[in-house]
C-alpha cells in the first residue's frame, strides 16, 4: 500500500503534528524547572500545572462540537495561533529574568484551553486528508511521531534549560505552533457534511443538543464505551506509576539512572508498537489491542514487589509497546466506524475520560502510599488495569467487531 506521506495534504498535516508534538514534549520539563527556580514551591508547580489541565478537561467536549460544526482545519489553525501567543508570552516572562507566577499560570490557562479545542480536530483532519485504505498507516505514522517526540522532547528541553534557560524551550514551542499553523493553513481538508441544526433554541440549547448527540454515538456502541472505561483505568494506573515509581527506583532499585532507563525504554516501546501497528491488521482489532493494553499490569505489580530493575525496565517497554499498538489501531477503527459528522465530538469524550483519570491517579497515589505504603496503590492499580482491559473480551461488541473496510457514512 502506498504511504500516505505521498499525498501532499497528509504530508503537510504530518509535518505540522511532528513540530507541535516536539514542542509540547519539551515544555513539561522546562515548565517544572522554571516554576521551581522562580518559586521553590511544589504547591506553586501544582497550581500552574492545574491551570493547564482544568480548562482542557472542561472545554474538550465544547472543542469537539466546534470541530464537528466548523471546519476542523480552521479550528486547528486558530488554536495553534492561540498556543503560539501563550507560549511566547511565557517565554518572554522567563527570558526577562523575573517571571511572575500568575503570568505563567495565565499562559497555561490559555494553552490548556487552546489544546481542548485543538485535540478533537486531529482525527477529522486525518480522515479529511487520507483515503479509507490509508487510514491505518496514517495513524501508525502519527503514533510513531508521538513516541519519537517523547524521546526527543525531554532531551531537547534538558539541553536548552541547562545551556540557555527554560525560556528558550517555550520560545521553541511557540515557534512550533506558528509553523504548524502555517502548514495547516496550506492543507486541504475534506469536510464532512454537518447535521442540519434544529430551528429552535439559541446557541446554548444547540450546544447541549450537539453534546447529547455526540454522547449518543458513544453509548450506542458497547465496544466503544466499555473500552473507554478500560482506557481510563490505564491512564489512572499510569499516573500512579509515574507518581510512585521515581521514589521506588531511587530508594530500592539503584538510583535515578534506573528511573531514566524505565522512562526511556517506555518511549522506545511506544515507537516500536506504533511501527508494529502499521504492519499488522488484526481481524478483531479492539479485542487484540485491549488485551495488549492489559500488559501494563505487569510493571505495576513488579514495582509493587520491588522486583529487580532489569525486569521492571523490560516489562515497562513491553507494556508501552502495547499502548503503541493500541493508539493507531483504535483511531483507525473509530474513524472507519463513527460518522464523520460526529467524529470530533466522539473523540473528545475519549480524551475527556482518559485525561480526567490521570489527575485522579496523581492525587490518590501519594495519599494511598502514605496510608498503606507504595505496594498497595500499585497492586490495586495493576488489578484495575489488568481486570478492566481483560474484561472487555466479555463484551459482545468487542468480540464481534472486525476492522471495517470503508468509512462510516457522513
Amino acid at each position: 500500500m502506498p504511504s500516505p506521506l505521498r499525498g501532499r495534504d497528509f504530508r503537510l498535516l504530518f509535518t505540522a503534528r511532528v513540530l507541535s508534538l516536539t514542542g509540547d514534549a519539551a515544555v513539561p520539563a522546562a515548565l517544572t524547572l522554571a516554576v521551581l527556580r522562580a518559586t521553590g514551591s511544589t504547591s506553586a508547580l501544582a497550581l500552574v500545572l492545574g491551570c493547564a489541565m482544568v480548562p482542557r478537561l472542561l472545554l474538550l467536549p465544547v472543542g469537539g462540537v466546534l470541530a464537528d460544526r466548523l471546519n476542523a482545519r480552521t479550528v486547528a489553525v486558530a488554536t495553534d495561533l492561540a498556543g503560539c501567543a501563550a507560549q511566547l508570552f511565557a517565554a518572554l516572562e522567563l527570558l526577562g529574568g523575573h517571571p511572575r507566577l500568575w503570568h505563567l499560570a495565565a499562559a497555561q490557562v490559555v494553552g490548556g484551553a487552546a489544546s481542548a479545542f485543538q485535540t478533537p480536530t486531529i482525527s477529522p483532519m486525518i480522515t479529511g486528508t487520507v483515503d479509507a485504505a490509508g487510514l491505518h498507516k496514517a495513524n501508525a505514522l502519527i503514533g510513531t511521531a508521538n513516541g519519537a517526540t517523547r524521546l526527543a522532547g525531554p532531551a531537547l528541553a534538558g539541553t536548552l534549560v541547562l545551556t540557555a534557560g527554560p525560556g528558550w524551550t517555550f520560545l521553541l514551542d511557540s515557534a512550533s505552533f506558528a509553523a504548524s499553523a502555517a502548514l495547516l493553513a496550506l492543507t486541504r481538508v475534506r469536510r464532512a457534511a454537518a447535521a442540519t441544526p434544529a430551528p429552535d433554541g439559541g446557541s446554548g440549547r444547540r450546544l447541549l443538543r450537539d453534546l447529547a448527540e455526540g454522547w449518543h454515538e458513544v453509548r450506542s456502541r458497547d465496544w466503544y464505551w466499555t473500552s473507554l472505561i478500560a482506557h481510563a483505568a490505564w491512564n489512572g494506573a499510569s499516573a500512579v506509576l509515574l507518581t510512585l515509581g521515581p521514589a521506588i527506583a531511587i530508594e530500592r532499585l539503584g538510583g535515578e539512572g534506573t528511573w531514566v532507563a524505565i522512562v526511556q525504554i517506555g518511549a522506545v516501546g511506544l515507537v516500536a508498537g506504533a511501527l508494529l501497528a502499521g504492519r499488522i491488521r488484526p481481524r478483531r482489532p479492539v479485542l487484540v489491542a485491549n488485551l495488549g493494553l492489559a500488559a501494563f499490569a505487569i510493571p505495576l505489580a513488579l514495582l509493587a514487589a520491588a522486583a529487580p530493575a532489569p525486569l521492571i525496565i523490560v516489562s515497562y517497554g513491553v507494556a508501552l509497546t502495547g499502548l503503541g499498538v493500541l493508539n493507531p489501531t483504535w483511531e483507525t477503527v473509530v474513524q472507519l466506524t463513527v460518522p464523520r459528522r460526529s467524529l470530533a465530538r466522539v473523540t473528545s469524550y475519549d480524551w475527556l475520560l482518559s485525561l480526567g483519570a490521570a489527575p485522579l491517579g496523581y492525587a490518590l497515589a501519594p495519599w494511598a502510599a502514605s496510608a498503606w505504603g507504595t505496594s498497595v496503590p500499585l497492586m490495586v492499580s495493576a488489578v484495575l488495569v489488568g481486570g478492566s482491559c481483560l474484561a472487555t473480551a466479555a463484551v459482545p461488541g468487542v468480540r464481534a467487531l472486525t476492522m471495517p473496510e470503508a468509512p462510516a457514512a457522513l
Side-chain angles (χ1 to χ4, degrees):
M1 184 183 300
S3 170
L5 289 173
R6 293 187 179 182
R8 170 190 176 274
D9 295 311
F10 179 75
R11 190 164 59 245
L12 289 170
L13 172 61
F14 178 78
T15 306
R17 290 299 300 151
V18 169
L19 291 171
S20 183
L21 287 168
T22 302
D24 284 349
V27 159
L31 178 63
T32 298
L33 292 175
V35 173
L36 291 177
R37 283 183 182 182
T39 67
S41 168
T42 55
S43 297
L45 176 60
L47 172 66
V48 172
L49 294 176
C51 285
M53 179 61 71
V54 171
R56 188 178 187 189
L57 289 176
L58 291 177
L59 295 174
L60 258 170
V62 181
V65 170
L66 283 183
D68 277 336
R69 292 302 179 188
L70 305 176
N71 189 322
R73 185 199 66 173
T74 302
V75 175
V77 170
T79 55
D80 272 347
L81 292 176
C84 172
Q87 299 300 61
L88 178 61
F89 178 77
L92 294 177
E93 275 286 306
L94 293 168
L95 293 173
H98 301 285
R100 284 159 286 191
L101 180 64
W102 74 271
H103 281 185
L104 295 178
Q108 294 310 302
V109 168
V110 175
S115 177
F117 288 100
Q118 191 263 357
T119 300
T121 67
I122 298 169
S123 212
M125 287 195 295
I126 293 174
T127 59
T129 55
V130 179
D131 293 332
L135 282 176
H136 191 59
K137 198 170 280 288
N139 287 311
L141 286 167
I142 296 289
T144 303
N146 183 33
T149 55
R150 288 197 188 188
L151 276 172
L156 179 60
T159 301
L160 288 173
V161 169
L162 294 176
T163 58
W168 287 96
T169 306
F170 284 85
L171 197 62
L172 172 69
D173 195 29
S174 177
S176 74
F177 275 121
S180 174
L183 291 169
L184 292 178
L186 298 173
T187 306
R188 296 185 299 267
V189 179
R190 299 185 302 273
R191 287 190 63 183
T196 303
D200 65 8
S203 58
R205 289 188 180 180
R206 181 179 175 187
L207 173 62
L208 293 176
R209 185 170 56 249
D210 286 345
L211 291 172
E213 288 175 1
W215 182 247
H216 172 75
E217 294 289 346
V218 171
R219 66 182 180 83
S220 65
R221 296 169 171 82
D222 63 350
W223 62 268
Y224 193 90
W225 65 264
T226 55
S227 294
L228 290 192
I229 294 173
H231 300 172
W234 192 100
N235 280 277
S238 176
V240 173
L241 186 148
L242 293 175
T243 302
L244 303 180
I248 294 174
I250 292 170
E251 295 170 6
R252 308 181 200 173
L253 301 176
E256 295 178 352
T258 300
W259 180 248
V260 171
I262 291 172
V263 173
Q264 291 297 92
I265 201 66
V268 171
L270 196 62
V271 174
L275 290 172
L276 179 62
R279 305 182 70 88
I280 62 173
R281 289 179 68 90
R283 179 167 174 76
R284 300 285 189 274
V286 175
L287 176 62
V288 171
N290 285 348
L291 293 179
L293 209 61
F296 196 69
I298 299 173
L300 285 164
L302 291 176
L303 263 176
L311 281 179
I312 297 173
I313 293 170
V314 171
S315 68
Y316 192 68
V318 171
L320 269 289
T321 300
L323 178 64
V325 170
L326 175 125
N327 284 336
T329 303
W330 175 260
E331 292 292 338
T332 303
V333 172
V334 172
Q335 290 163 3
L336 291 174
T337 306
V338 175
R340 282 187 58 200
R341 64 174 181 272
S342 306
L343 184 57
R345 280 170 288 173
V346 169
T347 56
S348 73
Y349 284 116
D350 186 349
W351 281 100
L352 179 63
L353 287 176
S354 296
L355 293 177
L360 189 63
Y362 288 128
L364 292 180
W367 170 78
S370 64
W372 301 296
T374 56
S375 295
V376 171
L378 286 167
M379 284 303 300
V380 169
S381 298
V383 171
L384 285 176
V385 71
S388 60
C389 290
L390 293 175
T392 61
V395 178
V398 172
R399 296 196 310 271
L401 182 67
T402 58
M403 182 69 80
E405 296 297 329
L410 296 179

